[in-house]
Structures are given as structure tokens and as C-alpha cells.
């Protein structure tokens, strides 16, 4: 299907032409038919000579209804510009054309209607000149009469040629269906309609609706008046939603593929063309079928920040239009450069931001986004409309390569500094590092740890087991020299002090596996445990504490906690009479 929106001044014959082409009535309201004037959007379709289908979104030409016109053309990529031969180029011919230009519409046709009333030549010539100046460029022109039917075959053929030129829709893209109408059907509930410009909808799909906590579900789908199990872009669709009250949504809302769109009320944009220097501070932003008041903050010569009165699901690269409703004036088109821009708090931030924006063109650019954002989740980028084709550094985090290298170096420095300041600790806690490097997620710290550093027990430290600070290592060597042949004699408290082994040093040595702590100030060399089991196994079983003490050639101060430790480890077992056996 190919969707085309009409455009043109009031009473120039848009609806008459759509009616003549399709046999359908685009003016849906009784009031429209009574007044002979389109007020709101109309929808009609027909088959073209090629067999393809064209669907029309028929817009009102009256200046009061330009917002309705914009809701209709917003999501539609092609236009049928209608100019009456007898009236020629008129104010809303110009305003509608300015809107199409602002939105970047590149495909169109000119129909000069009421050709039975006047020579279509002058109106055609003028309109062609006006249109050629815009994003539409040179367009084919056909003179027609909705009254006599003259020119209609030529117009159908021209529509067929236009359809063939349109780029193929991307049916794998996420869905963003801008709602242009919502109503209730008795027995079915809420129905919304819109132009599906990309993607695919199926009955049963879950969709996201901005501002709703729950996803909405597609209960039924119609296109061209018929129920269908699915519809692929480009298509006019009517979507029946399960369990969604009618007042929950209306024109300007969008049904979205869940998780694929960033809802934003702050965007940085580039103004198209020759931006007016005196852009008013408040305007209306039209995008898709939505119209939202915005506050305009100028940044660079052709870039501004827009604060939206309500969030919209916008993507980098979106085209939109700014209009001054008071002055009936399309201020110009905009292209979205950034849907999640940084706050401008500090002095000079706006000027710096303008420089950044000067480099952007609205084309999604992964490397550039990473350079600017340094670290971001893949999902967040995808929701901005930036395709992600890079490996995450950890989890779903993506990093700018240079920033990531810098973080790695910073981590090594922090760990080294921590080791200097806390020589007895076995490394720097992961969470302290996370805070120090201002990282949003622990997995990033973990991914930054490289040999010779390693993570052990929640800390980042040197991988070598021999990581004892030198004074402690020396003390341990002394213990070994002095007690190596009396392995079950523990140094007395004052000897420990002489050796420089205070509680913290002992703790470090124990964590490094260089000493074994039996109790406060009672330490042995680590091999003592196995040796003790061997000695005790040589005793007649069961054996008493006293027998153990003598066999081990030690004191109660060591023997009591040593046996308790062996009990806990299951190497010995204590019997009810307090004697023990070695468990084999
Ligand atoms: N003679 C003649 N009259 C026409 C032709 N096309 C439209 N008209 C008449 O022009 C008047 C306006 O036509 P519409 O089709 O309602 O115009 P429109 O552009 O849809 O108007 P809006 O939707 O209000 O902007 C009607 O009275 C039509 O009958 C034509 O080709 N020849
Ligand atoms: Mg009309």
C-alpha cells in the first residue's frame, strides 16, 4: 500500500478529487458535509492501474484547521498538492507546502483542479515554481476536474509512478504508530487509526503506550476496511485495543514496540533552512500526529533546545515542525540531534553545547554517541534510535574505547594508591573503586581488572600470593626460623610485639596464608595443622588433651585452640568424656 496526504488551500477541491478517485467519502462528519468543508482528516483508498493500492489522508485546507492537517501529513511520506485552476496559489497553499518542506517530504504530485473552470496553465506554472524550491523538488503536474472527470486517468497513472519511486518500507523496524483518530466500537472497545510507516503489527502484539504502566494488547487489526491478522508498513491501520479505555489515548499518542523508544521532554534540534533569528520563545512542535507546546532556547546559529510540555517518543534523526499558532506561521522544520541532552547548568555550558551540536547532523552515529556519553547501556542507545553494532565492555554497557582505556589506567592507579595507604589490606574493595571511578555498575569495575591485578573476595589487588608487605613478610620469616623445629610452640605475646606482629599485621599474614591464627595472639606456621594430625594419629586412640599436649610438645595455650580447630575441621572428634580420636 502507498499512503499519500492531500495538501492545499481551502475549497480547492481536495476532497472532491479524493472522492472522484476512490468513490469513497472523505468528509466523515455531517457538519463537514453540511458546510461543504473538511474539518478533520478523512480516509479513503482505491486500486491503481498497476494493481497497487493507494490510501489517501485527506486534510482540511481552512487556516483554522492547520493543526489537523499537520497531524495527517506528519507520518505520511508523500503528498498530493492540490491547487484550483481558477484561484491559483493561495495562503494555505503556501502554508501547507511550507509544512511539507519543513517535514522533509520528498515525494509528491501536483494536481491542478477545477480545470473545467479556468485555464490550468498559470496556476500550474506558479505552483511548480513554489514547489521546486522545497524538499519536494520538481514534481509531475496533472490538470484535472473533479466535476467532469477529465485528467483522472492521467492522475492515476502519475500516482502509480509516484508509488514506484517511494523507498521500500523497513518492516523490521520497531513500530511507532502515531494515532490520528480514536473511537469506540460497540462490542469491541477502543479503536485507534494511524499510518504505519515502518514495522509490522500483528493481532496479539503487546505495545507500549506513553504514560501507561501496562502494555496494551492488539485485539484486532483492520486495514482498508478488512480484518487482518497482521499489517506491514506502509499501511493505514485501525487497531482494536484490549482493555484500554477510550479516554486513555487519542490523536498525538503513539503505540510503540516495547522498549524501543525513549520518551523525552527535552531535545536538541537543528533548524532547517534559513533559521529566523527571532524565533519566538514558545512555539508548537508538530511531529507524527502530535502537537506539543515547546519552550525554545537558542544554542547555536541554527541549533536550539526544546523543552516539551509533555514527553514524546522521539528518535535521533526525527523530522518535526515548529509552528507559531498565533501568527499562523510555520516557523520551520527541525531535525532531532539529541533526545537525551545533558543539562546546561554551568556558565558557558550552552556555548559548549552549541559547539557539540554544530558537529551533529541527526544521523545516528554510534562512535560519536559513545565519545560524548563515554559509557551507556546498549538498550538506552537503541531507544534513542542509534543502532548498536559494538561489543559491550561488560553486561550491556558500551564504552568509548579511549575512555575505557583511561578508566583501566585509573583503576590500576587507585589500587596502587590504596595498597600504599593500606598496606595490610588485601586489595581495594570493588565498591570503593566503583565510587572512586564514578562508575554506575560493579560489573564495569570487574571488567576493568586486568592481570597482574585480580579480584579476590570482593577486593581488587595484586595477583601474586606473596603480596605481604615486606615488614610482615620479614616477621613471618623470623617466626619460621625460630619455630621451624618446634612447630607447635606459638610465640608469646611479647615476642610477637618484638617481631612487629600486631593484630593488623597478623591479620594480613593470616589472609595471605602465611600464618595460622588459633586465637588472639596465638599463631602457628600454616603447615602446623597437617603435622599435628600426623602426630596425634600416632597416639593410642582415644587420647586426652594432656596426652596431645605432650606429644605435640606444646602448652595448653596452643593445644586447647588447636584441638578445637581440628574438631571444627573434622580432623578430630571429641568424645563425651572429653577424650578425642583422629578421624581417618
Ligand atoms: N467545477 C468544479 N468544481 C469543483 C471541482 N473540484 C471541487 N469543486 C468544488 O469546489 C468546492 C470545494 O471542493 P472540496 O473538494 O470540498 O474542496 P476541499 O479542498 O476539500 O476543501 P477543504 O477540505 O475545506 O479545504 C465544492 O463546491 C466542489 O464541488 C472541479 O474540479 N470542478
Ligand atoms: Mg476537503
Amino acid at each position: 500500500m502507498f499512503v499519500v496526504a492531500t495538501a492545499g488551500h481551502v475549497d480547492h477541491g481536495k476532497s472532491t478529487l479524493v472522492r472522484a478517485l476512490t468513490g469513497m467519502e472523505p468528509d466523515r462528519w455531517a457538519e463537514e458535509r453540511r458546510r461543504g468543508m473538511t474539518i478533520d482528516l478523512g480516509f479513503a483508498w482505491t486500486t491503481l492501474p498497476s494493481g497497487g493500492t493507494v490510501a489517501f489522508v485527506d486534510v482540511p485546507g481552512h487556516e483554522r484547521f492547520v493543526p489537523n492537517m499537520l497531524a495527517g501529513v506528519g507520518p505520511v511520506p508523500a503528498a498530493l498538492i492540490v491547487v484550483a485552476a481558477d484561484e491559483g496559489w493561495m495562503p494555505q497553499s503556501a502554508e501547507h507546502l511550507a509544512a511539507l518542506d519543513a517535514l522533509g517530504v520528498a515525494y509528491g504530485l501536483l494536481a491542478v483542479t477545477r480545470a473545467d473552470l479556468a485555464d490550468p496553465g498559470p496556476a500550474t506554472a506558479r505552483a511548480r515554481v513554489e514547489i521546486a524550491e522545497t524538499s519536494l523538488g520538481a514534481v509531475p503536474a496533472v490538470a484535472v476536474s473533479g466535476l467532469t472527470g477529465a485528467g483522472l486517468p492521467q492522475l492515476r497513472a502519475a500516482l502509480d509512478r509516484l508509488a514506484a519511486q517511494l523507498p521500500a518500507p523497513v518492516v523490521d523496524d520497531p513500530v511507532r504508530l502515531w494515532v490520528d483518530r480514536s473511537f469506540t466500537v460497540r462490542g469491541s472497545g477502543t479503536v485507534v487509526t494511524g499510518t504505519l510507516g515502518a514495522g509490522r503489527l500483528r493481532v496479539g502484539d503487546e505495545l507500549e503506550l506513553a504514560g501507561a504502566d501496562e502494555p496494551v494488547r492488539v485485539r484486532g487489526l483492520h486495514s482498508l476496511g478488512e480484518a487482518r491478522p497482521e499489517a506491514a508498513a506502509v499501511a493505514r491501520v485501525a487497531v482494536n485495543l484490549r482493555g484500554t479505555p477510550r479516554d486513555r489515548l487519542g490523536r498525538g499518542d503513539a503505540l510503540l514496540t516495547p522498549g524501543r523508544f525513549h520518551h523525552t521532554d527535552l531535545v536538541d534540534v537543528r533548524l532547517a533552512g534559513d533559521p529566523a533569528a527571532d524565533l519566538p520563545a514558545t512555539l508548537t512542535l508538530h511531529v507524527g500526529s502530535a502537537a506539543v507546546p515547546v519552550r525554545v532556547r537558542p544554542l547555536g546559529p541554527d541549533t536550539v533546545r526544546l523543552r516539551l510540555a509533555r514527553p514524546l517518543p522521539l528518535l535521533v534523526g526525527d523530522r518535526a515542525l515548529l509552528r507559531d499558532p498565533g501568527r499562523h506561521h510555520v516557523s520551520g522544520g527541525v531535525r532531532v540531534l539529541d533526545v537525551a541532552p545533558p543539562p546546561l547548568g554551568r556558565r558557558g555550558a550552552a556555548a559548549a553545547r552549541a559547539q557539540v551540536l554544530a558537529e551533529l547532523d541527526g544521523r545516528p552515529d554510534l562512535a560519536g554517541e559513545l565519545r560524548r556519553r563515554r559509557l551507556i547501556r546498549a538498550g538506552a542507545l537503541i531507544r534513542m534510535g542509534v543502532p548498536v553494532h559494538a561489543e559491550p565492555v561488560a553486561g550491556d554497557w558500551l564504552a568509548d574505547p579511549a575512555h575505557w582505556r583511561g578508566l583501566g589506567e585509573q583503576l590500576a592507579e587507585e589500587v596502587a594508591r590504596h595498597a600504599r595507604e593500606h598496606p595490610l589490606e588485601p586489595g581495594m574493595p570493588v565498591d570503593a573503586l566503583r565510587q572512586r571511578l564514578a562508575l554506575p555498575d560493579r560489573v564495569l569495575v570487574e571488567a576493568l581488572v586486568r592481570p597482574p591485578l585480580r579480584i579476590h573476595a570482593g577486593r581488587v589487588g595484586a595477583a601474586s600470593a606473596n603480596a605481604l608487605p615486606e615488614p610482615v613478610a620479614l616477621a613471618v620469616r623470623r617466626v619460621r626460623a625460630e619455630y621451624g623445629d618446634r612447630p607447635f610452640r606459638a610465640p608469646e605475646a611479647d615476642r610477637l610485639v618484638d617481631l612487629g606482629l600486631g593484630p593488623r599485621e597478623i591479620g594480613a599474614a593470616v589472609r595471605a596464608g602465611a600464618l595460622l591464627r588459633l586465637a588472639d595472639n596465638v599463631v602457628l606456621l600454616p603447615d602446623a595443622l597437617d603435622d599435628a594430625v600426623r602426630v596425634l594419629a600416632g597416639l593410642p586412640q582415644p587420647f586426652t588433651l594432656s596426652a596431645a599436649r605432650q606429644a605435640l610438645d606444646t602448652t595448653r595455650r596452643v593445644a586447647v585452640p588447636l584441638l578445637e580447630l581440628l574438631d571444627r575441621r573434622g580432623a578430630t572428634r571429641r568424645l563425651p568424656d572429653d577424650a578425642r580420636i583422629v578421624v581417618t
Side-chain angles (χ1 to χ4, degrees), residues 522-543:
V522 184
V523 296
L524 295 180
L525 291 163
D527 6 325
L529 225 46
D530 288 346
D531 292 349
V533 176
R534 239 185 334 274
V535 171
L536 296 172
L539 289 176
Q541 308 286 312
F543 55 87

PDB file of all heavy atoms in Angstrom, residues 522-543:
ATOM      1  N   VAL A 522      47.663 -15.978  69.294  1.00  0.00           N
ATOM      2  CA  VAL A 522      48.194 -17.347  69.242  1.00  0.00           C
ATOM      3  C   VAL A 522      48.280 -17.753  67.775  1.00  0.00           C
ATOM      4  O   VAL A 522      47.249 -17.994  67.134  1.00  0.00           O
ATOM      5  CB  VAL A 522      47.312 -18.350  70.002  1.00  0.00           C
ATOM      6  CG1 VAL A 522      47.959 -19.728  69.997  1.00  0.00           C
ATOM      7  CG2 VAL A 522      47.042 -17.862  71.420  1.00  0.00           C
ATOM      8  N   VAL A 523      49.505 -17.743  67.243  1.00  0.00           N
ATOM      9  CA  VAL A 523      49.657 -18.073  65.829  1.00  0.00           C
ATOM     10  C   VAL A 523      50.689 -19.177  65.646  1.00  0.00           C
ATOM     11  O   VAL A 523      51.651 -19.284  66.410  1.00  0.00           O
ATOM     12  CB  VAL A 523      50.078 -16.838  64.996  1.00  0.00           C
ATOM     13  CG1 VAL A 523      48.985 -15.784  65.020  1.00  0.00           C
ATOM     14  CG2 VAL A 523      51.400 -16.281  65.467  1.00  0.00           C
ATOM     15  N   LEU A 524      50.478 -19.980  64.631  1.00  0.00           N
ATOM     16  CA  LEU A 524      51.428 -21.020  64.241  1.00  0.00           C
ATOM     17  C   LEU A 524      51.735 -20.847  62.766  1.00  0.00           C
ATOM     18  O   LEU A 524      51.045 -20.098  62.064  1.00  0.00           O
ATOM     19  CB  LEU A 524      50.816 -22.408  64.450  1.00  0.00           C
ATOM     20  CG  LEU A 524      50.494 -22.852  65.885  1.00  0.00           C
ATOM     21  CD1 LEU A 524      49.889 -24.252  65.863  1.00  0.00           C
ATOM     22  CD2 LEU A 524      51.736 -22.804  66.766  1.00  0.00           C
ATOM     23  N   LEU A 525      52.747 -21.581  62.335  1.00  0.00           N
ATOM     24  CA  LEU A 525      53.003 -21.597  60.886  1.00  0.00           C
ATOM     25  C   LEU A 525      51.927 -22.454  60.223  1.00  0.00           C
ATOM     26  O   LEU A 525      51.405 -23.376  60.854  1.00  0.00           O
ATOM     27  CB  LEU A 525      54.395 -22.157  60.618  1.00  0.00           C
ATOM     28  CG  LEU A 525      55.505 -21.202  61.095  1.00  0.00           C
ATOM     29  CD1 LEU A 525      56.836 -21.915  61.200  1.00  0.00           C
ATOM     30  CD2 LEU A 525      55.594 -19.990  60.176  1.00  0.00           C
ATOM     31  N   PRO A 526      51.586 -22.181  59.004  1.00  0.00           N
ATOM     32  CA  PRO A 526      50.376 -22.815  58.426  1.00  0.00           C
ATOM     33  C   PRO A 526      50.471 -24.323  58.269  1.00  0.00           C
ATOM     34  O   PRO A 526      49.457 -25.009  58.306  1.00  0.00           O
ATOM     35  CB  PRO A 526      50.230 -22.133  57.066  1.00  0.00           C
ATOM     36  CG  PRO A 526      51.515 -21.460  56.800  1.00  0.00           C
ATOM     37  CD  PRO A 526      52.190 -21.192  58.101  1.00  0.00           C
ATOM     38  N   ASP A 527      51.677 -24.892  58.146  1.00  0.00           N
ATOM     39  CA  ASP A 527      51.771 -26.348  57.960  1.00  0.00           C
ATOM     40  C   ASP A 527      51.513 -27.099  59.279  1.00  0.00           C
ATOM     41  O   ASP A 527      51.399 -28.315  59.293  1.00  0.00           O
ATOM     42  CB  ASP A 527      53.130 -26.764  57.388  1.00  0.00           C
ATOM     43  CG  ASP A 527      54.103 -25.617  57.294  1.00  0.00           C
ATOM     44  OD1 ASP A 527      53.601 -24.495  57.007  1.00  0.00           O
ATOM     45  OD2 ASP A 527      55.306 -25.793  57.503  1.00  0.00           O
ATOM     46  N   ALA A 528      51.423 -26.343  60.396  1.00  0.00           N
ATOM     47  CA  ALA A 528      51.292 -26.996  61.701  1.00  0.00           C
ATOM     48  C   ALA A 528      50.067 -27.892  61.785  1.00  0.00           C
ATOM     49  O   ALA A 528      50.085 -28.921  62.460  1.00  0.00           O
ATOM     50  CB  ALA A 528      51.238 -25.935  62.795  1.00  0.00           C
ATOM     51  N   LEU A 529      49.021 -27.525  61.089  1.00  0.00           N
ATOM     52  CA  LEU A 529      47.774 -28.262  61.208  1.00  0.00           C
ATOM     53  C   LEU A 529      47.934 -29.715  60.740  1.00  0.00           C
ATOM     54  O   LEU A 529      47.575 -30.661  61.437  1.00  0.00           O
ATOM     55  CB  LEU A 529      46.711 -27.552  60.371  1.00  0.00           C
ATOM     56  CG  LEU A 529      45.339 -27.349  60.978  1.00  0.00           C
ATOM     57  CD1 LEU A 529      45.404 -26.829  62.404  1.00  0.00           C
ATOM     58  CD2 LEU A 529      44.550 -26.380  60.104  1.00  0.00           C
ATOM     59  N   ASP A 530      48.481 -29.891  59.544  1.00  0.00           N
ATOM     60  CA  ASP A 530      48.673 -31.245  59.000  1.00  0.00           C
ATOM     61  C   ASP A 530      49.649 -32.033  59.862  1.00  0.00           C
ATOM     62  O   ASP A 530      49.446 -33.227  60.128  1.00  0.00           O
ATOM     63  CB  ASP A 530      49.201 -31.174  57.569  1.00  0.00           C
ATOM     64  CG  ASP A 530      48.123 -30.704  56.609  1.00  0.00           C
ATOM     65  OD1 ASP A 530      46.927 -30.707  57.026  1.00  0.00           O
ATOM     66  OD2 ASP A 530      48.461 -30.336  55.464  1.00  0.00           O
ATOM     67  N   ASP A 531      50.706 -31.329  60.288  1.00  0.00           N
ATOM     68  CA  ASP A 531      51.701 -32.022  61.125  1.00  0.00           C
ATOM     69  C   ASP A 531      51.061 -32.523  62.405  1.00  0.00           C
ATOM     70  O   ASP A 531      51.322 -33.643  62.857  1.00  0.00           O
ATOM     71  CB  ASP A 531      52.846 -31.065  61.479  1.00  0.00           C
ATOM     72  CG  ASP A 531      53.678 -30.704  60.252  1.00  0.00           C
ATOM     73  OD1 ASP A 531      53.493 -31.358  59.201  1.00  0.00           O
ATOM     74  OD2 ASP A 531      54.482 -29.749  60.341  1.00  0.00           O
ATOM     75  N   ALA A 532      50.200 -31.687  62.999  1.00  0.00           N
ATOM     76  CA  ALA A 532      49.564 -32.065  64.260  1.00  0.00           C
ATOM     77  C   ALA A 532      48.724 -33.321  64.077  1.00  0.00           C
ATOM     78  O   ALA A 532      48.763 -34.240  64.905  1.00  0.00           O
ATOM     79  CB  ALA A 532      48.689 -30.913  64.764  1.00  0.00           C
ATOM     80  N   VAL A 533      47.971 -33.390  62.993  1.00  0.00           N
ATOM     81  CA  VAL A 533      47.129 -34.560  62.753  1.00  0.00           C
ATOM     82  C   VAL A 533      48.008 -35.819  62.659  1.00  0.00           C
ATOM     83  O   VAL A 533      47.675 -36.878  63.208  1.00  0.00           O
ATOM     84  CB  VAL A 533      46.284 -34.387  61.476  1.00  0.00           C
ATOM     85  CG1 VAL A 533      45.480 -35.649  61.169  1.00  0.00           C
ATOM     86  CG2 VAL A 533      45.342 -33.190  61.621  1.00  0.00           C
ATOM     87  N   ARG A 534      49.151 -35.673  61.955  1.00  0.00           N
ATOM     88  CA  ARG A 534      50.038 -36.834  61.834  1.00  0.00           C
ATOM     89  C   ARG A 534      50.515 -37.318  63.205  1.00  0.00           C
ATOM     90  O   ARG A 534      50.472 -38.500  63.519  1.00  0.00           O
ATOM     91  CB  ARG A 534      51.251 -36.467  60.954  1.00  0.00           C
ATOM     92  CG  ARG A 534      51.369 -37.351  59.744  1.00  0.00           C
ATOM     93  CD  ARG A 534      52.602 -37.121  58.884  1.00  0.00           C
ATOM     94  NE  ARG A 534      53.194 -35.806  58.926  1.00  0.00           N
ATOM     95  CZ  ARG A 534      52.819 -34.777  58.170  1.00  0.00           C
ATOM     96  NH1 ARG A 534      51.823 -34.925  57.322  1.00  0.00           N
ATOM     97  NH2 ARG A 534      53.428 -33.621  58.286  1.00  0.00           N
ATOM     98  N   VAL A 535      50.959 -36.364  64.050  1.00  0.00           N
ATOM     99  CA  VAL A 535      51.452 -36.722  65.372  1.00  0.00           C
ATOM    100  C   VAL A 535      50.340 -37.370  66.202  1.00  0.00           C
ATOM    101  O   VAL A 535      50.528 -38.419  66.824  1.00  0.00           O
ATOM    102  CB  VAL A 535      51.994 -35.458  66.086  1.00  0.00           C
ATOM    103  CG1 VAL A 535      52.315 -35.774  67.554  1.00  0.00           C
ATOM    104  CG2 VAL A 535      53.231 -34.941  65.374  1.00  0.00           C
ATOM    105  N   LEU A 536      49.161 -36.759  66.183  1.00  0.00           N
ATOM    106  CA  LEU A 536      48.059 -37.254  67.010  1.00  0.00           C
ATOM    107  C   LEU A 536      47.589 -38.633  66.540  1.00  0.00           C
ATOM    108  O   LEU A 536      47.186 -39.471  67.353  1.00  0.00           O
ATOM    109  CB  LEU A 536      46.879 -36.263  66.988  1.00  0.00           C
ATOM    110  CG  LEU A 536      47.197 -34.887  67.602  1.00  0.00           C
ATOM    111  CD1 LEU A 536      46.040 -33.920  67.372  1.00  0.00           C
ATOM    112  CD2 LEU A 536      47.519 -35.009  69.092  1.00  0.00           C
ATOM    113  N   ALA A 537      47.697 -38.886  65.254  1.00  0.00           N
ATOM    114  CA  ALA A 537      47.290 -40.191  64.729  1.00  0.00           C
ATOM    115  C   ALA A 537      48.205 -41.296  65.255  1.00  0.00           C
ATOM    116  O   ALA A 537      47.808 -42.459  65.318  1.00  0.00           O
ATOM    117  CB  ALA A 537      47.306 -40.158  63.190  1.00  0.00           C
ATOM    118  N   GLY A 538      49.439 -40.925  65.663  1.00  0.00           N
ATOM    119  CA  GLY A 538      50.371 -41.928  66.183  1.00  0.00           C
ATOM    120  C   GLY A 538      50.106 -42.261  67.646  1.00  0.00           C
ATOM    121  O   GLY A 538      50.719 -43.182  68.198  1.00  0.00           O
ATOM    122  N   LEU A 539      49.231 -41.563  68.309  1.00  0.00           N
ATOM    123  CA  LEU A 539      48.919 -41.827  69.719  1.00  0.00           C
ATOM    124  C   LEU A 539      47.899 -42.960  69.829  1.00  0.00           C
ATOM    125  O   LEU A 539      47.108 -43.158  68.907  1.00  0.00           O
ATOM    126  CB  LEU A 539      48.295 -40.576  70.343  1.00  0.00           C
ATOM    127  CG  LEU A 539      49.186 -39.365  70.589  1.00  0.00           C
ATOM    128  CD1 LEU A 539      48.352 -38.203  71.117  1.00  0.00           C
ATOM    129  CD2 LEU A 539      50.283 -39.733  71.582  1.00  0.00           C
ATOM    130  N   PRO A 540      47.913 -43.656  70.984  1.00  0.00           N
ATOM    131  CA  PRO A 540      46.815 -44.607  71.212  1.00  0.00           C
ATOM    132  C   PRO A 540      45.495 -43.837  71.243  1.00  0.00           C
ATOM    133  O   PRO A 540      45.439 -42.749  71.829  1.00  0.00           O
ATOM    134  CB  PRO A 540      47.126 -45.189  72.606  1.00  0.00           C
ATOM    135  CG  PRO A 540      48.522 -44.772  72.923  1.00  0.00           C
ATOM    136  CD  PRO A 540      48.863 -43.571  72.123  1.00  0.00           C
ATOM    137  N   GLN A 541      44.492 -44.345  70.580  1.00  0.00           N
ATOM    138  CA  GLN A 541      43.204 -43.659  70.477  1.00  0.00           C
ATOM    139  C   GLN A 541      42.220 -44.232  71.475  1.00  0.00           C
ATOM    140  O   GLN A 541      42.246 -45.452  71.719  1.00  0.00           O
ATOM    141  CB  GLN A 541      42.629 -43.821  69.064  1.00  0.00           C
ATOM    142  CG  GLN A 541      43.561 -43.449  67.944  1.00  0.00           C
ATOM    143  CD  GLN A 541      43.764 -41.942  67.781  1.00  0.00           C
ATOM    144  OE1 GLN A 541      42.813 -41.186  67.755  1.00  0.00           O
ATOM    145  NE2 GLN A 541      45.027 -41.523  67.725  1.00  0.00           N
ATOM    146  N   PRO A 542      41.316 -43.506  72.036  1.00  0.00           N
ATOM    147  CA  PRO A 542      41.302 -42.043  72.062  1.00  0.00           C
ATOM    148  C   PRO A 542      42.424 -41.500  72.929  1.00  0.00           C
ATOM    149  O   PRO A 542      43.014 -42.256  73.700  1.00  0.00           O
ATOM    150  CB  PRO A 542      39.923 -41.726  72.645  1.00  0.00           C
ATOM    151  CG  PRO A 542      39.563 -42.902  73.466  1.00  0.00           C
ATOM    152  CD  PRO A 542      40.237 -44.108  72.844  1.00  0.00           C
ATOM    153  N   PHE A 543      42.658 -40.201  72.806  1.00  0.00           N
ATOM    154  CA  PHE A 543      43.737 -39.589  73.598  1.00  0.00           C
ATOM    155  C   PHE A 543      43.178 -38.376  74.339  1.00  0.00           C
ATOM    156  O   PHE A 543      42.192 -37.777  73.916  1.00  0.00           O
ATOM    157  CB  PHE A 543      44.906 -39.173  72.688  1.00  0.00           C
ATOM    158  CG  PHE A 543      44.467 -38.268  71.565  1.00  0.00           C
ATOM    159  CD1 PHE A 543      44.416 -36.872  71.769  1.00  0.00           C
ATOM    160  CD2 PHE A 543      44.107 -38.770  70.333  1.00  0.00           C
ATOM    161  CE1 PHE A 543      44.022 -36.054  70.742  1.00  0.00           C
ATOM    162  CE2 PHE A 543      43.707 -37.944  69.300  1.00  0.00           C
ATOM    163  CZ  PHE A 543      43.664 -36.583  69.509  1.00  0.00           C
TER     164      PHE A 543
END
